[in-house]
Amino acid sequence: MTTQARPKLEQPLSESLFARARQVTPGGVNSPVRAFASVGGHPHFIAHSEGAYLTNADGQRLLDYIGSWGPMILGHNHPAVREAVAEALQGGTSFGAPNEREVLLAEKVVELTREQGVERVRFVNSGTEATMSALRLARGVTGRKYIVKFRGNYHGHADGLLVEAGSGLLTTARGELGEAAPSSAGVPPEYAALTLVSEYNDPAALDRLMQERGQEIAAVIFEPVVGNSGVLIPTAEFLAALHRVREHGTLLIADEVMTGFRLSLQGASGRLGLQPDLITWGKIIGGGLPVGAYGGRAEIMEVVSPSGPVYQAGTLSGNPLAMAAGLATLTELQAHPEIYAGLERYTAALADGLRAAAQEAGVPLTVNQIGSMLTAFHQAAPQGGISSYQQAARSDTQAFAGWFRAMLDQGVYWAPSQFESIFVSAAHGDAELNLTLDAARRAYAEL
Ligand code: KE4
């Protein structure tokens, strides 16, 4: 059944801006996943944002499910965040010296994650810096050089972590879309060789690797709920195997850049009862300004310079405007814990609605959803659902691309990759849910 031809969303200004951008920036974007490489068409250039909506350069309103890839859990341009940044701005933009706001945000993070063993936090400027620093710290503490990551997990673009990583590498990987993404060009094999790759949700594989090489391994880093292969939810057996790595003197690093303060006020670690040695954060912790962080118990964190020998630094770390945005966001979330129940309700209803719409149109679809994270994989559910990178990678990326474009033409801006999570905000309500499911029904009918 086809619906009447829908006027394609013309965006002349975005198109001309993209043409100009490509003259001065690689691929015309400052982060590859924004380039629409795996979904076709060209990116919308955004002029401003409010609540659940973006307005592009051509003045068209888009219902946004990216939320800046996670930070916008309160919705875009939230008054509490805007006012906090405006107030901080009165004092200037950066001091290169400590300021009270760094202490306030660090105290807030420790207060919220103390149950997960966090006693000290160091701020950096991105999730990449957070994971890169946490791994250096783990190597410094253990004196070991190997690390373990999981195929399809993405932890930012530090050299040693661009080994069979997920996220943007899966939209621009050399070779077939969805196949295990090779290490990026420019990563010397000597660096990649220090990163051992295991399989997410395969406890036996991890146990075997640790039995064989555990004494050489400084750290195991993992996404406590995967967002970068599309959403993958860990099994209890896998989480237990992850905690067993510590029997070998290996540190466990939960990369909560995406899940931190997203899946609960205590992140995925709190929601799933994890006890990692180190946690990394990004996205929400900066409220949309550039902030990353890593933290853990004092005996480990005090090994970081200037207290200890593991060096890590940053000109703009603890930037007062970024601290203000992060503090306002966490304070708002803490003052309104009902936000998390609302996010759960909305996203579960969205998942059910997508399943029903796809079934009605005879489109094979498997939806993974937890909290306000969701991925709709274009494939029929394998036995037991999609719980591994290999299973996720079998999705029909062309079907996804067609659905994505049909949704965007109706003004619903989904994540432009089959292998990403979407992010629902507290600003998404019944009107947005209905708009989304109406558009989805039409888009599935066109596949
Ligand atoms: P950043 O360096 O992009 O702030 O964070 C890297 C990172 C680390 N760890 C996890 C679990 C992450 O999800 C990320 C970044 N996430 C992607 C979205 N899948 C950022 C979007 C982009 O690359 O533009």
Side-chain angles (χ1 to χ4, degrees):
M1 179 187 76
T2 55
T3 51
Q4 71 284 359
R6 197 186 38 258
K8 197 166 163 16
L9 209 58
E10 299 304 322
Q11 336 125 39
L13 250 182
S14 279
E15 285 180 22
S16 64
L17 280 167
F18 193 40
R20 283 171 49 198
R22 286 201 302 270
Q23 302 304 312
V24 287
T25 298
V29 291
N30 285 300
S31 199
V33 75
R34 303 177 191 170
F36 279 27
S38 68
V39 291
H42 62 70
H44 289 237
F45 280 63
I46 304 306
H48 59 85
S49 62
E50 192 73 38
Y53 293 88
L54 300 171
T55 302
N56 69 14
D58 296 282
Q60 290 142 348
R61 237 160 70 110
L62 302 168
L63 173 50
D64 178 34
Y65 279 101
I66 299 177
S68 179
W69 296 99
M72 297 300 154
I73 190 168
L74 296 177
H76 285 286
N77 206 359
H78 190 285
V81 178
R82 188 174 60 242
E83 284 151 26
V85 175
E87 187 195 338
L89 186 56
Q90 301 309 311
T93 54
S94 179
F95 311 132
N99 72 92
E100 184 190 14
R101 287 189 169 89
E102 296 168 76
V103 182
L104 290 169
L105 185 54
E107 287 173 339
K108 182 60 67 183
V109 173
V110 168
E111 177 196 341
L112 294 177
T113 58
R114 191 183 301 284
E115 308 257 307
Q116 283 70 48
V118 177
E119 297 174 324
R120 298 282 188 282
V121 173
R122 169 60 65 84
F123 293 118
V124 291
N125 301 282
S126 69
T128 293
E129 271 192 88
T131 58
M132 176 177 75
S133 306
L135 287 169
R136 182 181 311 130
L137 173 56
R139 286 174 159 141
V141 166
T142 61
R144 300 172 179 181
K145 60 184 180 181
Y146 290 93
I147 63 166
V148 174
K149 74 178 287 291
F150 298 94
R151 198 180 317 279
N153 277 207
Y154 177 73
H155 304 288
H157 64 90
D159 283 338
L161 287 168
L162 284 182
V163 179
E164 304 209 35
S167 184
L169 271 156
L170 297 180
T171 62
T172 56
R174 303 183 302 271
E176 285 308 302
L177 274 182
E179 75 179 8
S183 300
S184 163
V187 176
E190 293 81 0
Y191 286 23
L194 297 177
T195 302
L196 308 175
V197 181
S198 193
E199 302 303 328
Y200 198 83
N201 271 337
D202 186 339
L206 182 55
D207 282 339
R208 275 196 306 277
L209 178 56
M210 293 310 293
Q211 291 307 333
E212 285 160 22
R213 308 198 55 183
Q215 297 311 316
E216 304 172 83
I217 294 170
V220 171
I221 187 167
F222 71 110
E223 291 186 52
V225 165
V226 180
N228 292 295
S229 303
V231 172
L232 301 177
I233 297 167
T235 63
E237 296 75 12
F238 183 58
L239 293 175
L242 283 165
H243 285 77
R244 282 198 292 273
V245 306
R246 299 158 70 175
E247 295 165 8
H248 301 268
T250 297
L251 297 185
L252 184 61
I253 303 177
D255 178 358
E256 294 230 46
V257 167
M258 188 183 278
T259 56
F261 313 108
R262 163 77 45 194
L263 290 184
S264 85
L265 205 44
Q266 288 72 37
S269 297
R271 184 180 176 123
L272 302 173
L274 311 183
Q275 284 293 326
D277 296 297
L278 289 171
I279 299 178
T280 55
W281 294 279
K283 298 180 194 280
I284 291 174
I285 199 172
L289 269 68
V291 181
Y294 61 105
R297 54 185 185 277
E299 69 172 319
I300 295 180
M301 288 299 292
E302 290 297 343
V303 177
V304 177
S305 175
S307 312
V310 173
Y311 193 71
Q312 180 267 307
T315 299
L316 295 174
S317 299
N319 173 273
L321 306 190
M323 296 292 104
L327 184 62
T329 301
L330 297 193
T331 303
E332 188 71 16
L333 288 168
Q334 189 178 23
H336 299 282
E338 70 279 6
I339 284 176
Y340 289 100
L343 290 171
E344 196 83 42
R345 267 195 311 278
Y346 183 102
T347 318
L350 176 58
D352 291 342
L354 291 174
R355 292 182 187 110
Q359 188 169 22
E360 190 183 308
V363 171
L365 196 81
T366 303
V367 181
N368 281 2
Q369 174 261 329
I370 177 170
S372 52
M373 291 172 64
L374 177 153
T375 298
F377 293 102
H378 278 253
Q379 59 170 293
Q383 184 64 29
I386 294 177
S387 60
S388 75
Y389 167 74
Q390 282 74 7
Q391 288 169 329
R394 289 192 201 108
S395 301
D396 180 342
T397 51
Q398 292 311 309
F400 171 80
W403 183 79
F404 170 86
R405 287 193 302 273
M407 292 291 274
L408 189 52
D409 283 348
Q410 298 176 81
V412 179
Y413 191 7
W414 205 259
S417 161
Q418 172 69 98
F419 304 109
E420 293 284 358
S421 175
I422 61 156
F423 301 97
V424 174
S425 84
H428 287 73
D430 290 346
E432 286 69 39
L433 183 60
N434 295 333
L435 195 163
T436 306
L437 293 178
D438 286 348
R441 274 187 283 277
R442 281 192 289 272
Y444 287 129
E446 287 182 19
L447 286 183

